[in-house]
Amino acid sequence: MAALRRALQVASRAAGTRRALAGSLAGSCLADRCLWDKLHAQPRPGSVPTFDWFFGYEEAQGLLLPLLQGAQAAHPLRVLDVGCGTSSLSVGLYAKCPHPVDVLGVDFSPVAVAHMNNILEGGQGQTPLCPGHPASRLRFMQADAQNLEPVASGSFQLVLDKGTWDAVARGGLPGAYQLLSECLRVLSPQGTLIQFSDEDPDVRLPCLEQGSPGWSVTVQEMGPFRGITYFAYLVQGSQRQPWVFAG
């Protein structure tokens, strides 16, 4: 969570209107939807429509693209981005990935979902997003990552969690374990869940191993990006072969 707190401080300096909100987030439960609604409603500095807490698609693509290479146009690989917020991760996969992907971004903030749909559709004078592969698709849906009831079990080959565990865990580990349980429920038995975080492996790995019996849990170091080292925690089905970060 250290990087998340630093990002809050940077965002506060970049936009004066965020100052009071950043202070309240830093001392509050980050699982509170109202706080995120307020944050996502704030103006963004410059012309960048997305906002990334840790890092964005550009930094993650070296890890993600090897997982997507086997996708075929008739059967795009299904990707779920839980707690997508207004990150560039899902739109980057859709617009820049050369392999066919069917991406669903899920967030409990209706403000975030509306903003991302606006980016996708080209609202407010923006150009609509074009897919990096003709068969790729992108959708956004409001849903609680701890209760993904509208999502069918085993229906995604790749589930991405960029900072969502970190935010939910601020409200207590039971909520984080419920999030993990839902991610594994909707994940294919041969699929991969990736949690991106700055949390030390000595802390995160025991939690994931306890909450993912029967799954393989490994960690890959990422970065440093802007002076911060991050980690990708991979929870994979037992039938899948481990692989190494290419970035």
mmCIF file of all heavy atoms in Angstrom, residues 19 23 32 38 58 61 90 126 143 150-151 154 178 220 239 242:
data_model
loop_
_atom_site.group_PDB
_atom_site.id
_atom_site.type_symbol
_atom_site.label_atom_id
_atom_site.label_comp_id
_atom_site.label_asym_id
_atom_site.label_seq_id
_atom_site.Cartn_x
_atom_site.Cartn_y
_atom_site.Cartn_z
ATOM 1 N N ARG A 19 -6.963 17.649 -3.064
ATOM 2 C CA ARG A 19 -6.179 17.669 -1.836
ATOM 3 C C ARG A 19 -6.953 17.131 -0.630
ATOM 4 O O ARG A 19 -6.473 16.267 0.093
ATOM 5 C CB ARG A 19 -5.677 19.093 -1.570
ATOM 6 C CG ARG A 19 -4.656 19.166 -0.440
ATOM 7 C CD ARG A 19 -3.959 20.525 -0.411
ATOM 8 N NE ARG A 19 -3.076 20.679 -1.548
ATOM 9 C CZ ARG A 19 -3.299 21.514 -2.563
ATOM 10 N NH1 ARG A 19 -4.389 22.262 -2.581
ATOM 11 N NH2 ARG A 19 -2.452 21.608 -3.563
ATOM 12 N N GLY A 23 -6.393 13.363 1.385
ATOM 13 C CA GLY A 23 -6.201 13.234 2.819
ATOM 14 C C GLY A 23 -7.195 12.283 3.444
ATOM 15 O O GLY A 23 -6.846 11.477 4.308
ATOM 16 N N ASP A 32 -14.375 1.593 0.726
ATOM 17 C CA ASP A 32 -15.573 2.421 0.780
ATOM 18 C C ASP A 32 -15.870 2.974 -0.615
ATOM 19 O O ASP A 32 -15.103 3.770 -1.161
ATOM 20 C CB ASP A 32 -15.358 3.566 1.768
ATOM 21 C CG ASP A 32 -16.601 4.436 1.950
ATOM 22 O OD1 ASP A 32 -17.531 4.339 1.126
ATOM 23 O OD2 ASP A 32 -16.632 5.207 2.917
ATOM 24 N N LYS A 38 -16.041 9.733 -5.326
ATOM 25 C CA LYS A 38 -15.577 11.113 -5.263
ATOM 26 C C LYS A 38 -14.253 11.280 -6.009
ATOM 27 O O LYS A 38 -14.047 12.270 -6.723
ATOM 28 C CB LYS A 38 -15.419 11.548 -3.802
ATOM 29 C CG LYS A 38 -16.729 11.656 -3.037
ATOM 30 C CD LYS A 38 -16.475 12.029 -1.582
ATOM 31 C CE LYS A 38 -17.774 12.092 -0.796
ATOM 32 N NZ LYS A 38 -17.527 12.408 0.642
ATOM 33 N N GLU A 58 1.371 -0.213 -20.299
ATOM 34 C CA GLU A 58 2.695 -0.225 -20.920
ATOM 35 C C GLU A 58 3.694 -1.001 -20.078
ATOM 36 O O GLU A 58 4.533 -1.738 -20.607
ATOM 37 C CB GLU A 58 3.194 1.205 -21.147
ATOM 38 C CG GLU A 58 2.334 2.027 -22.102
ATOM 39 C CD GLU A 58 2.298 1.461 -23.505
ATOM 40 O OE1 GLU A 58 3.271 0.781 -23.899
ATOM 41 O OE2 GLU A 58 1.299 1.681 -24.211
ATOM 42 N N GLN A 61 2.577 -5.010 -20.032
ATOM 43 C CA GLN A 61 2.383 -5.792 -21.248
ATOM 44 C C GLN A 61 3.426 -6.899 -21.418
ATOM 45 O O GLN A 61 3.111 -7.973 -21.968
ATOM 46 C CB GLN A 61 2.378 -4.883 -22.473
ATOM 47 C CG GLN A 61 3.661 -4.125 -22.725
ATOM 48 C CD GLN A 61 3.573 -3.254 -23.970
ATOM 49 O OE1 GLN A 61 2.816 -3.535 -24.901
ATOM 50 N NE2 GLN A 61 4.348 -2.183 -23.999
ATOM 51 N N SER A 90 -7.220 -2.210 -18.815
ATOM 52 C CA SER A 90 -8.193 -2.879 -19.692
ATOM 53 C C SER A 90 -8.266 -2.216 -21.068
ATOM 54 O O SER A 90 -8.353 -2.904 -22.083
ATOM 55 C CB SER A 90 -9.574 -2.902 -19.030
ATOM 56 O OG SER A 90 -9.983 -1.598 -18.672
ATOM 57 N N GLN A 126 -13.962 12.874 -27.731
ATOM 58 C CA GLN A 126 -12.840 11.958 -27.872
ATOM 59 C C GLN A 126 -13.091 10.982 -29.021
ATOM 60 O O GLN A 126 -14.225 10.723 -29.412
ATOM 61 C CB GLN A 126 -12.624 11.170 -26.582
ATOM 62 C CG GLN A 126 -12.332 12.030 -25.368
ATOM 63 C CD GLN A 126 -12.074 11.179 -24.143
ATOM 64 O OE1 GLN A 126 -11.157 10.374 -24.108
ATOM 65 N NE2 GLN A 126 -12.901 11.367 -23.118
ATOM 66 N N ALA A 143 -20.066 -3.846 -10.641
ATOM 67 C CA ALA A 143 -20.252 -5.022 -9.790
ATOM 68 C C ALA A 143 -19.221 -4.977 -8.684
ATOM 69 O O ALA A 143 -18.144 -4.389 -8.828
ATOM 70 C CB ALA A 143 -20.115 -6.321 -10.598
ATOM 71 N N PRO A 150 -23.070 -11.911 -11.179
ATOM 72 C CA PRO A 150 -23.470 -11.958 -12.588
ATOM 73 C C PRO A 150 -22.494 -12.724 -13.476
ATOM 74 O O PRO A 150 -22.810 -13.034 -14.629
ATOM 75 C CB PRO A 150 -23.513 -10.474 -12.996
ATOM 76 C CG PRO A 150 -23.548 -9.707 -11.713
ATOM 77 C CD PRO A 150 -22.807 -10.538 -10.728
ATOM 78 N N VAL A 151 -21.293 -13.021 -12.967
ATOM 79 C CA VAL A 151 -20.244 -13.649 -13.771
ATOM 80 C C VAL A 151 -20.258 -15.157 -13.548
ATOM 81 O O VAL A 151 -20.227 -15.631 -12.410
ATOM 82 C CB VAL A 151 -18.861 -13.072 -13.416
ATOM 83 C CG1 VAL A 151 -17.776 -13.707 -14.278
ATOM 84 C CG2 VAL A 151 -18.858 -11.551 -13.603
ATOM 85 N N GLY A 154 -15.787 -20.171 -13.774
ATOM 86 C CA GLY A 154 -14.849 -20.739 -14.736
ATOM 87 C C GLY A 154 -14.882 -20.118 -16.106
ATOM 88 O O GLY A 154 -14.469 -20.754 -17.077
ATOM 89 N N GLN A 178 -12.412 -13.015 0.544
ATOM 90 C CA GLN A 178 -13.641 -13.153 -0.246
ATOM 91 C C GLN A 178 -13.403 -12.714 -1.685
ATOM 92 O O GLN A 178 -13.890 -13.343 -2.627
ATOM 93 C CB GLN A 178 -14.764 -12.334 0.377
ATOM 94 C CG GLN A 178 -16.084 -12.358 -0.391
ATOM 95 C CD GLN A 178 -16.675 -13.746 -0.534
ATOM 96 O OE1 GLN A 178 -16.440 -14.614 0.306
ATOM 97 N NE2 GLN A 178 -17.436 -13.965 -1.610
ATOM 98 N N GLN A 220 6.593 -12.779 -9.357
ATOM 99 C CA GLN A 220 7.575 -12.214 -10.284
ATOM 100 C C GLN A 220 7.815 -10.766 -9.880
ATOM 101 O O GLN A 220 6.864 -10.015 -9.633
ATOM 102 C CB GLN A 220 7.032 -12.251 -11.719
ATOM 103 C CG GLN A 220 6.615 -13.612 -12.219
ATOM 104 C CD GLN A 220 7.743 -14.316 -12.963
ATOM 105 O OE1 GLN A 220 8.726 -13.695 -13.337
ATOM 106 N NE2 GLN A 220 7.576 -15.598 -13.172
ATOM 107 N N GLN A 239 -2.719 -27.464 -13.872
ATOM 108 C CA GLN A 239 -2.397 -28.029 -15.175
ATOM 109 C C GLN A 239 -1.620 -27.064 -16.064
ATOM 110 O O GLN A 239 -1.223 -27.405 -17.162
ATOM 111 C CB GLN A 239 -3.687 -28.440 -15.896
ATOM 112 C CG GLN A 239 -4.513 -29.467 -15.130
ATOM 113 C CD GLN A 239 -5.783 -29.837 -15.872
ATOM 114 O OE1 GLN A 239 -5.798 -29.940 -17.083
ATOM 115 N NE2 GLN A 239 -6.861 -30.023 -15.132
ATOM 116 N N PRO A 242 4.304 -23.103 -15.405
ATOM 117 C CA PRO A 242 4.794 -21.792 -14.979
ATOM 118 C C PRO A 242 5.583 -21.135 -16.107
ATOM 119 O O PRO A 242 6.135 -21.812 -16.983
ATOM 120 C CB PRO A 242 5.697 -22.126 -13.777
ATOM 121 C CG PRO A 242 5.274 -23.483 -13.329
ATOM 122 C CD PRO A 242 4.807 -24.191 -14.560
#
